[in-house]
Amino acid sequence: MGREVWWQEDRPDEGGRTTIMHHTPDGLHETLPAPWDARTRVHEYGGRSYLVVPGHGIVFSHHPDQRLYLLTGRGEVRPLTPEPERPGCLRYAETTLHGDEVWCVRESHAADGRVTRAVVAVPLDGSAACREVATGSDFYAGLAFSPNGEHLAFICWNHPRLPWVSTELKIMRMESGKSWTVKGGQTESILAPQWLDDSTLYLISDWSGWWNIYQIGIYGTSSQALYPAEEEFARPLWRLGGKPYQILADGRLAVLHGQGGDQRLGILDPDDCTLADLDLDYNVWDSALTADGNLLVGVASGPTSGRTLIRLDLATGETAELRREIETPPHIAYLPIPHPVEIESRFGRMIHAYRHPPGNPTAEWRGLPPYVINVHGGPTGHADTALDLSKAYLTSRGIGILDLNYGGSSGYGRAYRDRLRGQWGVVDVEDAIASARWLLDARIASRVAIRGRSAGGWTVMAACAASTVFAGGVSVYGVSDLSTFNDTTHDFESRYVEWLVGPPDPILYDARQPLSSASSVRCPMLLLQGLDDPVVPPQQSTVFAAAMKDNGIPCTLITFAGESHGFRRADTQIKALEAEIAFYRDIFAD
């Protein structure tokens, strides 16, 4: 890395394609020209999709066909992996260099729908086919070679578990291809292995109930926590290729840690187990740190600053902003300032949220403002305090926002995440209703609506059916029908409902799913849905909209062709936000 930095950058104005950027002492350069689109679909959520290979160029996954390509220093692009039988049936992620090969996770989609994964080696010269080097598990992540190249560390897990529930750390001896389990199990989530030396690793484990950093030998010996704390040093593994910590030249570790949606950047000294936070104006960091010696690069944001690419020289203390998502943010007076709050839910459960009061220095409002409860997706996600201009779009127009970290959210330890085990559609719904009543009873809000994406859309539909406290609901590609969801969603989450609700049971699923209680909804609803969504297929929105129509309750369904799970195109994002603000104007009208 040195003084040169590469990163991925989304381009909503170019149909949502992802390019690769390069910052040098000479300035900023776009490395990957259109129409190349550096985006992997492994697990459908993807992750880092490129690898800089000194002396060769950049290896990247091209979104339309999912093949690996090499972009040479001369600007030529040539394929490294074979042409698939069908576009997208072979996908690659977690690329790492080993000798003259790129090792990565390959995801294979058979014609009969069966999905398998393996760790494969891809020759850099494209002269030979990929060879499988690790098989037998349903999922792989976190590939890391020992400094001497004799061992490969990786994490793996199997259906029906997910990586925030249960993973194992394995070590493979390169000479023999044999592997063994070092740590992990059915009730432990292991993440992000990195090598300290040829016989010792760092890893993150939630064995204590919190994702803390441990040091361990390659045979599972001498395991110890470097800094035991009721804090999270990692986030759930939704996207591949991230690094929540980095080893610096002097042996110290740059780490992300904290409780709740935000995380601080600190320096952890493994010799004396001390942790000191850096004095920075950023409190939300992507789990994507990169280090070279004493130089550290990360993506951070705060309540008044959008996502920013930052380079830190830890030897000199110099901080440089290399790229801003929002070059000129609105004046701070127009931005929502988050206030952390705790709310008592059913049975005395305390839940966490961030309240964003409305604000606009040029406007005057009478009486209490309306509020929208925002329900994050996942459901093992979290709300944080990073600047979000879509929220400012609402708060500057007199609508407050309550960002809800309901039971099941990440950032508060395993016990808090496990509140949702078997209780999806119960705990999240109770917490949403309790939050709405708190806003009203405390005379903070005059009326309350609710909105959410993906799993948050499920909570929106279920909460509107369970209570009349809401003036309206907005579901963005939300799950409504469990009876079809397991059969139509993608492989990564195909068994997630078993953890969230229970083993397939028509009676249980029918009782829990929002579609079955659509007749109880008494408030207007807005549904937004991408037509090419492989995670939550369009049927999930269309059947609920039809049920609302049969019930005689106003429900607007707006679909977007070419959009997947997460709207990437600028015109879609604009239309969706305009439709949402128009909906709020209608339901909050005096």
Side-chain angles (χ1 to χ4, degrees), residues 94-130:
E94 283 274 7
T95 48
T96 187
L97 184 64
H98 181 63
D100 58 358
E101 295 178 317
V102 172
W103 285 46
C104 57
V105 177
R106 184 187 66 194
E107 183 178 275
S108 304
H109 293 249
D112 63 2
R114 190 170 63 97
V115 181
T116 58
R117 295 170 189 84
V119 178
V120 300
V122 181
L124 267 172
D125 60 9
S127 62
C130 307

Side-chain angles (χ1 to χ4, degrees), residues 66-413:
Q66 289 295 291
R67 297 174 74 181
L68 285 183
Y69 289 83
L70 176 66
L71 172 66
T72 69
R74 297 184 299 274
E76 301 170 348
V77 178
R78 57 182 176 84
L80 296 183
T81 55
E83 185 175 356
E85 295 179 0
R86 302 174 315 283
C89 71
L90 295 176
R91 309 171 183 181
Y92 306 87
E94 283 274 7
T95 48
T96 187
L97 184 64
H98 181 63
D100 58 358
E101 295 178 317
V102 172
W103 285 46
C104 57
V105 177
R106 184 187 66 194
E107 183 178 275
S108 304
H109 293 249
D112 63 2
R114 190 170 63 97
V115 181
T116 58
R117 295 170 189 84
V119 178
V120 300
V122 181
L124 267 172
D125 60 9
S127 62
C130 307
R131 58 188 179 92
E132 294 185 349
V133 291
T135 60
S137 294
D138 292 331
F139 301 93
Y140 297 90
L143 309 186
F145 286 98
S146 61
N148 61 12
E150 295 182 0
H151 295 93
L152 171 71
F154 58 90
I155 65 170
C156 56
W157 66 98
N158 293 307
H159 281 309
R161 302 182 185 97
L162 288 110
W164 46 87
V165 175
S166 169
T167 62
E168 293 179 326
L169 170 65
K170 290 194 174 184
I171 304 292
M172 184 177 75
R173 184 174 287 113
M174 298 295 291
E175 182 180 14
S176 64
K178 294 183 179 180
S179 62
W180 61 92
T181 299
V182 176
K183 189 170 175 56
Q186 294 187 8
T187 59
E188 183 179 12
S189 170
I190 306 292
L191 302 172
Q194 292 195 49
W195 292 86
L196 169 61
D197 53 42
D198 291 328
S199 60
T200 312
L201 300 99
Y202 293 126
L203 58 85
I204 294 179
S205 167
D206 69 349
W207 176 83
S208 68
W210 297 82
W211 272 314
N212 285 184
I213 298 183
Y214 290 76
Q215 179 178 312
I216 195 169
I218 61 173
Y219 296 105
T221 57
S222 305
S223 174
Q224 66 178 46
L226 299 186
Y227 190 84
E230 291 188 349
E231 296 186 13
E232 302 280 44
F233 286 73
R235 295 299 192 196
L237 184 63
W238 283 97
R239 296 165 61 85
L240 298 177
K243 300 289 185 182
Y245 67 95
Q246 284 288 345
I247 304 172
L248 304 173
D250 59 6
R252 296 180 301 164
L253 278 67
V255 301
L256 303 176
H257 70 107
Q259 276 197 31
D262 296 354
Q263 285 189 313
R264 302 179 299 281
L265 175 62
I267 303 299
L268 173 59
D269 190 332
D271 291 334
D272 57 15
C273 298
T274 57
L275 176 59
D277 290 336
L278 300 180
D279 185 15
L280 299 169
D281 294 329
Y282 312 98
N283 56 338
V284 180
W285 292 79
D286 290 4
S287 292
L289 297 177
T290 303
D292 184 4
N294 288 314
L295 292 178
L296 183 70
V297 173
V299 178
S301 54
T304 59
S305 59
R307 297 175 73 233
T308 305
L309 184 70
I310 300 164
R311 183 179 61 207
L312 304 171
D313 189 328
L314 298 175
T316 66
E318 178 189 2
T319 300
E321 293 186 348
L322 305 184
R323 183 73 158 167
R324 290 183 176 182
E325 180 182 41
I326 307 170
E327 286 297 336
T328 307
H331 189 278
I332 190 173
Y334 293 89
L335 300 180
I337 303 302
H339 302 273
V341 296
E342 287 190 340
I343 301 167
E344 184 174 339
S345 186
R346 196 176 184 192
F347 304 124
R349 295 192 307 264
M350 299 306 296
I351 54 178
H352 305 274
Y354 297 105
R355 185 171 71 90
H356 304 259
N360 185 323
T362 65
E364 293 184 7
W365 298 296
R366 296 179 181 178
L368 298 176
Y371 263 73
V372 175
I373 293 177
N374 184 64
V375 186
H376 64 71
T380 312
H382 63 271
D384 56 39
T385 63
L387 174 62
D388 182 341
L389 289 184
S390 66
K391 294 175 184 175
Y393 191 73
L394 298 181
T395 56
S396 63
R397 285 160 173 78
I399 301 173
I401 295 173
L402 186 78
D403 252 340
L404 178 62
N405 277 321
Y406 52 87
S409 304
S410 57
Y412 303 94

Side-chain angles (χ1 to χ4, degrees), residues 358 365-371 398 439-440 442-447 590:
W365 298 296
R366 296 179 181 178
L368 298 176
Y371 263 73
L439 287 169
L440 295 170
R443 294 192 56 76
I444 296 171
S446 58
R447 286 150 294 178
D590 292 328

